[in-house]
Amino acid sequence: MDSARWVYGFEQGDGRNKKLLGGKGANLCEMTRIGINVPPGFVVTTEACVAYLGDPERRLPDGLMDEVRARMVALEKQTGKFFGGSENPLLVSVRSGSAMSMPGMMDTILNLGLNADTLAGLIRQTGNPRFAYDAYRRFVQLFGKVALGVPDELFDEEFDRVKARAGVRTDLELDADALAEISKRFVEVVANHTGRAFPSDPHEQLELAVRAVFNSWMGRRAVDYRREFAITPDMADGTAVNVCTMVFGNMGSDCATGVGFTRNPGTGENQLYGEYLVDAQGEDVVAGIRTPKPIAELEQDLPANYAELVALRDQLEGHYQEVQDFEFTIERGTLYCLQTRNGKMNSAAMVRTSVEMHREGLISRERALARVEPTQLEQMLFPRLDPAHTARSVATGLPASPGAASGQVVFDADRAVALGGQGTPVLLLREETKPEDIHGFFAARGILTSRGGKTSHAAVVARGMGKPCVAGAEGIEVDVARRTARVGAEVIKEGDVLTIDGTTGAVYRGEVATVEPEFTDSLSTLLEWADARARLRVRANADTPEDAERALRYGATGIGLCRTERMFNAADRLPIVIDMIVAETAEARAAALDRLLPIQRADFAGLFRAMAPRPVTIRLLDPPIHEFLPDERQLEDEIARLQDLRGAVRGLEVMADAARMEPGMDLPASLREAGDTRRLDALMARKELILAKARALREVNPMLGHRGVRLGITFPEIYRMQIRAVLEAVLECQREGLEIDPEIMVPQVCTVQEIMLVRAQLEEVRAEVEAEHGVKLPCRFGSMIEVVRACLRAESLAEVAEFFSFGTNDLTQAVFSFSREDAENKFLPMYNERGILQDNPFEVLDVKGAGRLMALSVEWGRSVRPDLHVGICGEHGGHPASIRFCHSIGLDYVSCSAPRVPIARLAAAQAALED
Amino acid sequence: MDSARWVYGFEQGDGRNKKLLGGKGANLCEMTRIGINVPPGFVVTTEACVAYLGDPERRLPDGLMDEVRARMVALEKQTGKFFGGSENPLLVSVRSGSAMSMPGMMDTILNLGLNADTLAGLIRQTGNPRFAYDAYRRFVQLFGKVALGVPDELFDEEFDRVKARAGVRTDLELDADALAEISKRFVEVVANHTGRAFPSDPHEQLELAVRAVFNSWMGRRAVDYRREFAITPDMADGTAVNVCTMVFGNMGSDCATGVGFTRNPGTGENQLYGEYLVDAQGEDVVAGIRTPKPIAELEQDLPANYAELVALRDQLEGHYQEVQDFEFTIERGTLYCLQTRNGKMNSAAMVRTSVEMHREGLISRERALARVEPTQLEQMLFPRLDPAHTARSVATGLPASPGAASGQVVFDADRAVALGGQGTPVLLLREETKPEDIHGFFAARGILTSRGGKTSHAAVVARGMGKPCVAGAEGIEVDVARRTARVGAEVIKEGDVLTIDGTTGAVYRGEVATVEPEFTDSLSTLLEWADARARLRVRANADTPEDAERALRYGATGIGLCRTERMFNAADRLPIVIDMIVAETAEARAAALDRLLPIQRADFAGLFRAMAPRPVTIRLLDPPIHEFLPDERQLEDEIARLQDLRGAVRGLEVMADAARMEPGMDLPASLREAGDTRRLDALMARKELILAKARALREVNPMLGHRGVRLGITFPEIYRMQIRAVLEAVLECQREGLEIDPEIMVPQVCTVQEIMLVRAQLEEVRAEVEAEHGVKLPCRFGSMIEVVRACLRAESLAEVAEFFSFGTNDLTQAVFSFSREDAENKFLPMYNERGILQDNPFEVLDVKGAGRLMALSVEWGRSVRPDLHVGICGEHGGHPASIRFCHSIGLDYVSCSAPRVPIARLAAAQAALED
């Protein structure tokens, strides 16, 4: 193209050059170029806009208006109409359009070219004065407003006066005379406000319109929008002006206007979809005053045009290789396409069209993969609220685990089990949850808490289980004792039904309809294609055989993280774990661990069976052990209660003694039982022991405390038990004929000496178990990389570890010095709002900080061990942008919660495609 | 030297080749080479040892014994004595000696060569059978034990029998016959134990001794020692064998033996120093049976030899250019030097000798700087316990702030002020300290706590003030209510005197004598030389004008860190700070800040005046604000007490009403006063407000919480006040004619947006103050680098910050994911003990982890701003190894607490010398 040119006819412009012609203009050129019947027109380039705005005196570039006038002459030739002609007048629309879609730019001006002469011509031509006056008054108002800056209110006042005089309420009821009157008054309004007559020269109208479009680029809303979304001049600079011949769908019964989708955007079905109105304007379809008809009926109304429409559909999809959302108008039997763009669809439709369009040969497999946004798949994987619902939320918390659920509110885990066990859908509502609530999670449909962030116990456990969770809904005040909660003035009683939306954080009263997820055949197919294309493998974080089976269904290639502490938290194990913690001697601790060993072995065997022959990565115990103990205040309260009880019992004993002195009297059984003081004393002693331990273990900063491998080295018998349980489980499964691929990894590593000690322990236990059973047992050994120092010592760790697994949750906390629990409740939302941080780094991996460290660490680690296997098992492992980054730094796999596996598979494929 | 040789005569060996000849052997060769009268001898090389140990059959290397025999022949020629000769027999000593000094190697064998023949010869030659038999029995026992493995007890038993029969208690009382008897029995003991006759052939004795020395290299203690201290083969591999002619100081009154220092090791004075005994063996000087005489007296006893000794002293110092600690023996009028090594001295002596030896032209200035260990200077900077004290400690805590102090124990800060104000020396003893105790720190000589680590409030504040502190002495149980503490069974009452040693952590009952520090002229001189040589500048961390003045006296070139929160903690400010924190509106907060502004301005002006024209770096508020509030439990208790009181008062009111009903009665004034319920209610309301705020601000991990710049951005009015206070203080001082060089730095930065916001605030306030006063104000702007992400984003931060200051305390916590408070109490000691970490990374900068990150960050930062000024203000800034590292990565300055400034100055010079 000639760079000195400011104007391109639709038939001249390069449809790919959106930067020069704007998105809308380029598309109009493109459609014209491929022979689609677009009303003739032309585009004034963005370069003209930039030149105009760059001139301090705001002169239009030399030659611009000459080119425009030349194009108008060409338009007259093409259409046989005359701009400003009183016979067969040519009217045009004027629209803005920059390289990127951007709200806040100029409104469309329709019907430009009208004045007293052309209006008369239009009336003559159409024989429809009402149509003509309506077109005129619309033009005067829009032009007055957007090109001349006349406030809308001034027009509205006049309009209301005329309606009042006519005694009508809506425009539709006004006749041609009334509309003529309105047009007249509008022209006066403009003259009064601007102090000049309304411009009647169509060329002057056009020049003013072009200037108005250009100026709108620097309008307040447009500038703010570009700043807000960081749209820089290299992305879009200046706006184009699209000038297009008017066509009318409201000139009679051989006219129509409508919108179409080349495929059904709700289902993806390969059928023309849309709606239309005969003898109507585009506005009418949108306004909803008349009900549009399904597009299939056009076959009866205007059969020839319908056939053209079907052909148009094929042509559009064939050309754009994408589902199109287009607008059309039929003017006196001629079909015009006014606009087309890529169709927005729900995820099921996106997936189905991807698969089908590829099978139809329309798009490549790569394109089929690339066009689906991975996070969109969430819709297909979690139940969600019916998009049509109109319920209003009563409270809002953090969207802690996606999906929607309804159920009767219960205030504790036991009640959840009691009610849930009978099949009643229940929601567990707690101030915050603790490990001892875990059985309640299994029984409930969803979890709602009034305190805690996205990393609270409730949030993490719910995400792991794939159950919806809203956390930290601070408006809700829970009163467990009274079995009620308050939200403002409202009271929620146990048994009341609530609905939570874990995808948005909203809480509703009553049952809101939900849509169940559907793992369609199309999705399976698409994800198979994704796997074939991806380099990154996708594993799942799973702690139970059920988790593992679900992960398999979702296509996981292994388990990347099994958190053994989850197993410790189950109701039947916690007392043993507490015994282990409060043990005063190594023997007592060993005794507790001996009881845990068969349980852990069974846990691991269950996982191995579910996943065989895929790899399963077991992480040794990570959290500080005080997390397994009840809260100190709670213990203090319980002990105080027990002391009261003990006092009461002592009173009973005195009474009993007195009673015994009365001959023939005996104590009632209940009293005798309550009086079992030994049992009470034992209970109190145990609570006091636990309290003392809890106090001794208390930490100022538990996140940075005595946990992970530090704990494993302090109490080697714990890791020894876990290692033995893993190896014996491998043995058990191998004897069943299964092929097992186990990996053990060590959490919180910061120095190579730590993993050397644990590795030595592994080899020792392995030698023992192998000798006991006369077998050889496989087991790879690796290190979590979640401490900054582990990244910095990667060369040395890689000498001992066969694989690295980035724990990006903890790593992010350490890189930012943000405690997630504190940050998300205190300052992080403010940081995001003020743009100090673009994203929440606990959701979107911080590529510039944490990511830089990860990249260095991978490079350093592989410099020592070139085949070092590296993965990520933090929550970021399930987020597309983070997955893309993991791919770019050469990781081998990502591991995420089971429900995010499909999302990760698609994201992994897209990452590979971008290479 | 010829590598095929296994043996070197003292006159042949290269005195610098300690690896080949061992330290001792090299020194003997060196002295021989420079003409000092060393008894003739030779060295079997470490290479021979390695060859021997490398042979599976443990054969001596080919030719070794031939060379040894040849050397013995040469010795005979040199001495005119005969090895194995019955006339004038040649006796030798055999010693081990590797490249590094190492305990656990072989004991010395003396008098080798004795047998029945040579013994007779020795008797004849000396005419002293008792001397000869004593020499013989010593040889047999030592040889039996170390060369033949005969247990000591077997010899001791025989010895005791003979003594018993003779009816004496000590060896000295035994006559020649008894010693002859003992020798005979010892020879039998060896024969019985080994099943072979005691080797009488001197050459066989010598070969066995050489093998024994070689074998001792692989002895258990030696191997353990090398492992413990990580001595690798490239540092020392194998041991040499030193064979040396025996000389005797106990052959008569023309004989003597002694030890000498070339200068006084206690004061550094340039005078020959040492002690000797006439007619005695080396053992006798050490054994303490006879009292040695001061060396000056030798001038009377043996004037010629004394003159030789003075000459020897000059020669040794002249050659070694170091104070020497040497052993000598005078055998029949001939002076022999048996050994020399660098003299160990206290710090004052080291400093004085450094300065004087340089002035005498003996050593270069570089050597004068290099030979003083920087940490040794602590002795000269803090009061310390008299080294001669014999008190036994009653408890031990962490050495939290160096120095020693005695005083009466007080249990709270008010009492410390009351008593300390009267001039009584007091020690503040608390379970742990809080900001509200700060006035007690000023009043006390030292601080002792029973809880908390080296980073506890007590420790950090005491270090800042340079007061001794022992923290976390867990054996002490404090009972503030009863004004007592218990240590085991002992009770410490208020007013009892204790002494603490903050350098070791020991706590003593009663007053233990202390030695006051002395900043000598020599030290000043040495440190001036250091400054001239160092590239790194040394600044001080100081929060008050007093701190600043002390820092200046210690030679600080500026203040690298002023912690403004310390100012908030002072007793007169804390209530205002609390008002600011609990403020419910921006106005209320502004009102509190308005009251703080003049106080802060005065603080800063004081610092500026003290340091002008040197730079002063002010760090804006850092800690989470809940640190300024009292403890939640304490508040709860206080509120409960107030509620009780309120109840009691209500009772009084009822009584008062009743009383008023009695005509003529009136309430006592005290009752009326106590009944002022409005005051009580107001107090309670305030406490409840503070408690509510404390609860709202509570954090799970305060170390990673809402603090530093995060706080500054949340409450911009706080930083605004501080910035204004700085600038107004600059203005005030400038008007006094002072030149001020202020710097403002921002804590806890993790992203450039944060410092952009604060910098904008600085510029805004600066413009305001400049406009108000019509002046221009200087102020550089920088960022703390203490968050890992700040290191990783160094390029981007360097675009906005003019300087970086590494906060290595917090950075180390984040790099390790160790909370210092938790780690030092829980697992860090175990990690050090087991060698998982070599050092406590909070004391010695972790060069491999945190250091690697710092180095990258400096490089990245300077890639954008080549003149980026970079320093360190964590505690590591005062530790020599860390300072060396800071030098190596190109930092511009270190900043440490005032008392460590001299240490840092010397360390900085040494770092430059090593380049």
Side-chain angles (χ1 to χ4, degrees), chain A residues 194-229:
Chain A
T194 61
R196 290 175 42 190
F198 186 90
S200 61
D201 174 4
H203 283 103
E204 187 187 351
Q205 290 174 0
L206 187 54
E207 180 176 332
L208 288 169
V210 168
R211 285 177 179 274
V213 170
F214 284 169
N215 288 332
S216 73
W217 178 253
M218 294 310 292
R220 169 107 192 227
R221 270 177 65 204
V223 171
D224 285 352
Y225 185 89
R226 291 200 294 275
R227 189 190 306 117
E228 175 79 9
F229 291 91

Side-chain angles (χ1 to χ4, degrees), chain B residues 24 267 270 417 441 561 571 604 687 763 776 794 807 843 906:
Chain B
K24 210 177 284 160
T267 64
N270 186 4
V417 171
F441 279 68
L561 173 63
F604 296 142
K687 296 268 179 203
E763 296 312 337
K776 283 281 163 200
E843 292 175 358
L906 182 55

